[in-house]
Each structure stands twice: as C-alpha cells, then as structure tokens.
Amino acid sequence: VHFTFFFLFLIFCTMHLIIIEGNISSGKTTLAKQLETELGYSVFLEPTITNPYLVKYYAEPRKYGLKMQLWLLRQRFRAYLAALSHIAETGQGVILDRSIYSDWVFAEKNRRDGNISEEGFAYYSSLRSQMLAALPLPSLALYLDVPASLCHSRVHNLRKRECESTIPLEYLEGLAVCYERCNEELSKVGVPLVDLDWSEFGESTTVGAQVKSVVAAGRETGARGIVTDEVKQLLDDSERLHSLSLLPHDVYSTWYDEEIDEGLHSNLPYAEFEAEEKARGQKEIAG
C-alpha cells in the first residue's frame, strides 16, 4: 500500500511541464539546470546558440525581425511538443527555458519598435494562435523578476556574448513592460504563476519547494502538464503538426504584399513565394 501511494505521488509530482520566464540575462538557464537536479525533471533549453538570424537581427532588426520571430516561434513550438513527447514516453517532468507563450513578448517589442509591421505582426499572431490552440497549458510558470538595469549589467559584464554587445537598456526595459502583459495573460487562462525576485538570484531548493507545493496542491492544474489521450493523438499526427506551422493562402497573401512594399524579400511571383515560405515552415518545424 505504501509503495503504491509513493508511486502515485511520484507520478503526480513529476509528469508536469514547467516554464521559466524572464528578461534577457535574468538567470533562467541557471535556475533551470539547478531545478533539474532538485526536482528530477529534464531541462529543454532555449534555442539561442543555433539561431541563424540572431547576429543578423541585432545588425538589421527591421530586415530580420519578422523572419527571426517566425523561426523562434516554430522552434519554441517544437520544443513544447518535444517536452510533451518526453513526458508521454518517460513520465518525467520537463522544465522549459522560455516558451512559446513568452515568444509574444519579443514579437510585440519588435512591433512597438517598428521592426515588424502591423501586417507582419498579424501574420505572426495568427500562426501563434493556431499553434497554442492545439497545446495543453503548462502546469506552472516561474517568472524571474529582475530590474532591466540589472539585466543590462549582466548582459554586458557577466554574459558578454558578442551578439548581445549592442543591446541597449531601453530594449530590456521594453521587454519588461511586454512581459507584464504576458504574465497577465498566463494568469487569465489559469496558469499558476510564481513571481520570484531574482535580483540577487536565489536558492533553487526554495524554488523547488514552491514548485512541489503548487503541483501537489493541484489548484485544478494538476493534469495540465500531463499528456492526455488527445495530446498523444496530436503528437502522433505528423501531418497535423506540419499544418500547424503554416497558414492559409489569404494570410500569406497579406504578408506577401506588405513584404514586397518594404523590399524585404526578392520580388518572387506570389505562387513561388507561398511555396517557398511553406517549404521553409515545414523544414523549420521538422528540424
């Protein structure tokens, strides 16, 4: 009896999906790796090192803003699916270092800065909404609250990544504002959100205890990180997964006209452009 109870408790406390959110250089990856040991979860890191647009984006944000955001959106969609697959196959919980939910933060900041047009943002939003509608909500979101000025200091004095060397304080301040709205939306749809003051970092053991408390308490979210039969069907349906990374003809058409006007891609005939973009989307989602 005791063994059965322990086994069920173990499954209940591990088959969950936790997302860690926060500004650039807030400490997400470090905490994720610490919680990996603390909770016995698997960590899926954000795809930054292999980002083919990152250096180009920082050099020419208006030219590459939408292209990079679409690439990141598809990568984060893939990461979320991979996390669900891992849970389904192993029963082990997963921690995501940033997620498809906060991908909106960077897209919105690009829109506000004029790097993504209203038409381009509508294209992005339609694609993201299509993806999110198919996904279960995460079990829990951890938000690392760090002042933008401190993140700026960490970026330039601690991380010292060459591609981030030109990031201004104003950009990080803008991301912080967008994150506030993102967190509000997460709470509205029922995702438990734990706001952590991470100005001086913190103890992973304390955070781990908070995670266990939220998960164990249930709060009507206990099953949200667990892969249901419906989610399993989605994971097994490769054709549907590919279709979720693409959009209907009319949405492509709007984006195409806007991109031509801005001179952001070669002046391909529309049919060729649509075929090229769909092929790119399928390649990105397939990895």
Side-chain angles (χ1 to χ4, degrees), residues 2-273:
H2 292 294
F3 175 79
T4 301
F5 175 79
F6 175 76
F7 180 72
L8 292 174
F9 177 80
L10 183 64
I11 291 178
F12 179 74
C13 286
T14 58
M15 292 182 65
H16 290 81
L17 178 55
I18 297 171
I19 59 176
I20 300 183
E21 303 292 355
N23 211 328
I24 297 173
S25 206
S26 58
K28 297 180 299 299
T29 302
T30 300
L31 177 60
K33 291 179 178 179
Q34 291 171 341
L35 289 178
E36 181 177 25
T37 301
E38 185 72 27
L39 298 173
Y41 281 34
S42 181
V43 172
F44 286 48
L45 298 178
E46 183 184 17
T48 54
I49 304 301
T50 57
N51 186 336
Y53 294 106
L54 192 59
V55 174
K56 295 177 182 178
Y57 167 75
Y58 283 130
E60 299 179 86
R62 191 164 180 270
K63 182 175 181 179
Y64 292 102
L66 183 57
K67 289 179 174 64
M68 185 180 78
Q69 209 61 62
L70 290 171
W71 183 86
L72 283 169
L73 178 66
R74 288 178 174 126
Q75 295 306 308
R76 286 170 178 148
F77 180 56
R78 286 183 62 206
Y80 207 95
L81 292 172
L84 294 173
S85 294
H86 181 83
I87 294 170
E89 293 169 2
T90 68
Q92 182 185 33
V94 171
I95 298 170
L96 276 178
D97 175 8
R98 198 171 271 131
S99 71
I100 187 174
Y101 290 91
S102 62
D103 190 80
W104 174 89
V105 169
F106 296 86
E108 171 66 6
K109 182 65 172 76
N110 271 312
R111 183 192 69 80
R112 295 185 182 192
D113 290 346
N115 297 327
I116 296 179
S117 68
E118 293 299 330
E119 293 84 357
F121 188 75
Y123 175 92
Y124 164 87
S125 298
S126 296
L127 185 57
R128 178 174 176 270
S129 295
Q130 181 173 275
M131 292 174 173
L132 287 181
L135 299 176
L137 293 170
S139 308
L140 175 67
L142 301 176
Y143 178 69
L144 305 190
D145 193 356
V146 180
S149 58
L150 183 52
C151 287
H152 185 261
S153 176
R154 290 177 183 175
V155 165
H156 294 283
N157 301 316
L158 186 62
R159 291 202 338 177
K160 298 181 179 179
R161 293 178 182 172
E162 185 176 352
C163 64
E164 297 176 344
S165 62
T166 59
I167 293 180
L169 174 59
E170 292 75 17
Y171 178 70
L172 298 176
E173 290 174 336
L175 289 180
V177 172
C178 293
Y179 248 120
E180 290 179 7
R181 182 174 164 190
C182 178
N183 290 343
E184 290 174 0
E185 292 302 316
L186 281 171
S187 296
K188 281 182 181 179
V189 297
V191 178
L193 178 68
V194 178
D195 193 307
L196 301 168
D197 182 351
W198 221 245
S199 299
E200 298 183 5
F201 299 103
E203 295 293 333
S204 61
T205 52
T206 302
V207 179
Q210 288 179 280
V211 170
K212 292 174 184 176
S213 176
V214 172
V215 170
R219 297 185 185 179
E220 299 182 356
T221 63
R224 282 181 174 159
I226 298 175
V227 180
T228 63
D229 289 340
E230 182 180 2
V231 172
K232 288 180 180 178
Q233 290 175 2
L234 171 66
L235 295 174
D236 291 336
D237 191 342
S238 58
E239 185 174 340
R240 186 182 175 201
L241 291 178
H242 279 298
S243 69
L244 287 171
S245 69
L246 307 171
L247 283 173
H249 174 91
D250 59 335
V251 183
Y252 276 112
S253 181
T254 300
W255 184 38
Y256 172 79
D257 292 340
E258 178 265 331
E259 289 268 284
I260 285 291
D261 290 342
E262 299 296 335
L264 297 182
H265 64 63
S266 57
N267 195 8
L268 289 172
Y270 178 73
E272 292 182 31
F273 164 77

